[in-house]
Amino acid sequence: LIKEDAKTIRTSYIASPAEEEGSKVLTETTLINKDTKRTRTYAPSPTEDFVAKHAVALGYSIGGVMKKPDGCNLWRNASHTKANVRPKDAKELPASFYDLHLNETLHRYRTVELPKYNQLLREFVVNNNDPTNKEGGRFDVRRRIREDGDYSVCDSLELHPDGLEGLFPSGALSKVEGNAGAGYVEPMLPPFRHPDLCFVDNIEENYKGEFVLNMGFMVHDFAAMCRTLKPHSRLVFVDIGASLDIHKNLGMQNPGFYVTELYEKFGFPFDHVYAYEIKKKDPNRVYSMLPQKLKAAYHWYNVGVNASFDSPNNPFLMLAETYTEDDYIVVKMDIDTATIEVPMVKLLLGEGKGSDNEDERLRQLRQKIPKIVDAFYFEHHIHMMQMDSYWQKTARGTILDSFRLFTGLRKLGIAAHSWV
């Protein structure tokens, strides 16, 4: 199963036990944007493909106050050299689940490939011959593309001579090709966090350590993203739930700043950062907490987000009115309020509905949303054993629901990542 080339397993619908319950898991598809003739494809890794296919059999459709499935059964099995044993409460599984290749792929990905990727990510430095550095400015791939007249600068963003395929020879990565050529991404697998979380005895005691809040499980293909930018593309980050002092009491970096610094490191300095936060903050304190390099781009909105598309407090309306598919737009949403988050995600999926009074202009703007957002970070609160102590009051849905949500976004060409 795992040794097959990813291209050979690109089927449309994946038959699964889920179909018996009136549902389907679609982990690969090819869509054509009729307006731009742009092909959007999502190719899940063989491992993700297998897990999605057998999500119901693995117990991932279970969810509720009294039933919280184990999101770590795959990773714990993969830590052993023997074939898999049936996860607790799982239904009958195909013989391929007990194949050692599944174990070997997950084990190598977690213990070898992912740590090496993060090491190279930390060590990455801009070429000292970059002319933007000589001018004292920030490294900006768009400027290099304009000055060089080609995309050779994108090659310098590769972390390995053979790209991310060379760093992850196990074939564990999935691939998104769409809005801005997202390239390779981490496989969408529970617990939708760093897999090292599955090897902690007491999760609550290690909350601020390198487990629950560790963002090192996310994989970004900056070289692929770079190759699809236009010289005039605007770089935009929308932070929905932008509490600047979150995690400060734990001595950790603000998650939103992690995103802006990572992108800037690879030559993607944001031109605009739109930050929405409902908790009232002193503007002077907000300003004092901002990194100096972000102050020129930062827009602070101390208001709650409204999921109604025609509301002036819906960030997606502002994006649709202001930006185009040529721009690179990143959205992070973490407000722990399902009644707002779910409708917002539906807008991003193109499933949202307009108001009864929606006119043609608003309808066209609403339909534009899935086409202009390129990357999306979202913490989906579901019923899962590993996060039960944190999400007791906010959990909605199942692990299978998360598969459908994130896979649905990725097949639209959006590089969707689970957030922390």
Side-chain angles (χ1 to χ4, degrees):
L1 173 71
I2 301 304
K3 289 185 177 180
E4 293 184 46
D5 184 90
K7 294 181 180 178
T8 67
I9 64 165
R10 289 186 179 184
T11 56
S12 55
Y13 282 95
I14 297 177
S16 76
E19 295 184 14
E20 299 176 3
E21 301 179 16
S23 61
K24 293 183 179 180
V25 180
L26 179 61
T27 56
E28 195 281 336
T29 189
T30 298
L31 302 174
I32 302 293
N33 179 343
K34 295 181 180 179
D35 296 329
T36 62
K37 304 300 182 183
R38 179 180 295 167
T39 302
R40 300 175 178 182
T41 302
Y42 179 48
S45 69
T47 305
E48 179 186 333
D49 175 85
F50 176 88
V51 174
K53 181 187 299 184
H54 302 291
V56 172
L58 286 165
Y60 294 160
S61 63
I62 298 171
V65 177
M66 303 302 295
K67 294 183 178 180
K68 297 174 178 61
D70 183 1
C72 286
N73 48 24
L74 292 171
W75 298 101
R76 292 199 188 100
N77 283 331
S79 67
H80 303 293
T81 56
K82 61 183 180 180
N84 291 337
V85 296
R86 181 180 300 180
K88 184 179 179 181
D89 298 327
K91 299 179 182 179
E92 182 177 355
L93 291 165
S96 54
F97 176 76
Y98 302 93
D99 195 306
L100 279 174
H101 296 319
L102 181 62
N103 276 357
E104 292 170 352
T105 297
L106 289 172
H107 184 66
R108 180 176 178 82
Y109 174 72
R110 181 182 74 86
T111 63
V112 179
E113 297 173 348
L114 203 53
K116 183 62 176 179
Y117 165 78
N118 280 289
Q119 176 190 342
L120 294 176
L121 204 66
R122 291 190 299 270
E123 296 175 350
F124 177 82
V125 292
V126 177
N127 186 340
N128 290 329
N129 293 322
D130 186 342
T132 58
N133 285 348
K134 294 180 180 180
E135 298 170 2
R138 294 183 296 179
F139 173 45
D140 190 327
V141 294
R142 296 167 299 177
R143 185 182 303 178
R144 283 289 305 274
I145 292 170
R146 289 194 296 268
E147 294 176 350
D148 299 344
D150 58 34
Y151 286 79
S152 57
V153 64
C154 302
D155 297 335
S156 67
L157 306 183
E158 296 284 12
L159 298 177
H160 186 280
D162 296 324
L164 289 183
E165 288 180 284
L167 269 179
F168 294 88
S170 69
L173 296 185
S174 299
K175 192 173 186 180
V176 178
E177 296 178 356
N179 290 2
Y184 287 101
V185 290
E186 72 280 359
M188 191 52 60
L189 297 172
F192 307 114
R193 270 173 151 76
H194 200 291
D196 282 353
L197 171 68
C198 298
F199 301 90
V200 181
D201 293 331
N202 190 321
I203 293 177
E204 291 190 45
E205 289 183 2
N206 288 278
Y207 179 76
K208 73 172 186 175
E210 52 182 327
F211 304 107
V212 175
L213 300 179
N214 186 348
M215 290 184 277
F217 67 95
M218 290 183 272
V219 175
H220 298 84
D221 196 342
F222 285 105
M225 292 151 55
C226 172
R227 294 184 184 107
T228 56
L229 285 180
K230 304 277 194 312
H232 59 270
S233 295
R234 291 169 290 182
L235 304 178
V236 179
F237 178 51
V238 182
D239 191 350
I240 304 174
S243 178
L244 299 184
D245 48 9
I246 188 172
H247 301 165
K248 186 177 181 181
N249 62 322
L250 301 176
M252 302 185 71
Q253 182 184 32
N254 177 279
F257 294 161
Y258 169 83
V259 173
T260 57
E261 289 183 11
L262 177 63
Y263 276 72
E264 181 169 351
K265 184 176 185 177
F266 282 83
F268 288 70
F270 289 105
D271 302 303
H272 298 280
V273 177
Y274 300 97
Y276 291 79
E277 174 56 43
I278 193 171
K279 292 182 180 179
K280 296 303 178 183
K281 302 288 183 180
D282 179 356
N284 292 320
R285 177 170 171 75
V286 171
Y287 187 78
S288 68
M289 296 178 70
L290 292 177
Q292 183 61 35
K293 55 190 174 184
L294 274 186
K295 289 180 177 177
Y298 210 80
H299 309 268
W300 173 254
Y301 296 93
N302 205 176
V303 297
V305 169
N306 191 317
S308 298
F309 184 68
D310 57 359
S311 168
N313 288 351
N314 189 318
F316 288 156
L317 175 60
M318 177 273 296
L319 291 176
E321 290 178 326
T322 312
Y323 297 99
T324 72
E325 291 185 59
D326 285 352
D327 301 311
Y328 193 89
I329 298 175
V330 179
V331 177
K332 186 224 86 180
M333 183 167 65
D334 185 10
I335 56 177
D336 298 347
T337 307
T339 54
I340 296 176
E341 289 175 327
V342 172
M344 291 289 286
V345 172
K346 286 186 176 181
L347 283 173
L348 191 53
L349 283 166
E351 299 173 358
K353 296 181 179 180
S355 65
D356 294 337
N357 299 322
E358 183 180 66
D359 57 22
E360 180 63 18
R361 170 183 169 274
L362 279 176
R363 186 188 68 81
Q364 292 182 3
L365 288 173
R366 178 169 51 81
Q367 294 177 343
K368 182 180 174 183
I369 293 301
K371 302 174 185 178
I372 62 174
V373 174
D374 302 291
F376 184 59
Y377 302 87
F378 174 50
E379 184 179 57
H380 189 207
H381 291 201
I382 55 175
H383 294 287
M384 183 172 60
M385 185 187 304
Q386 282 67 36
M387 300 303 294
D388 182 47
S389 58
Y390 309 111
W391 294 349
Q392 284 183 356
K393 296 181 180 180
T394 58
R396 301 288 188 278
T398 66
I399 292 175
L400 181 57
D401 291 331
S402 275
F403 268 120
R404 291 170 176 158
L405 184 154
F406 287 104
T407 296
L409 292 168
R410 287 182 171 187
K411 72 180 182 177
L412 288 176
I414 300 170
H417 305 269
S418 181
W419 190 242
V420 301

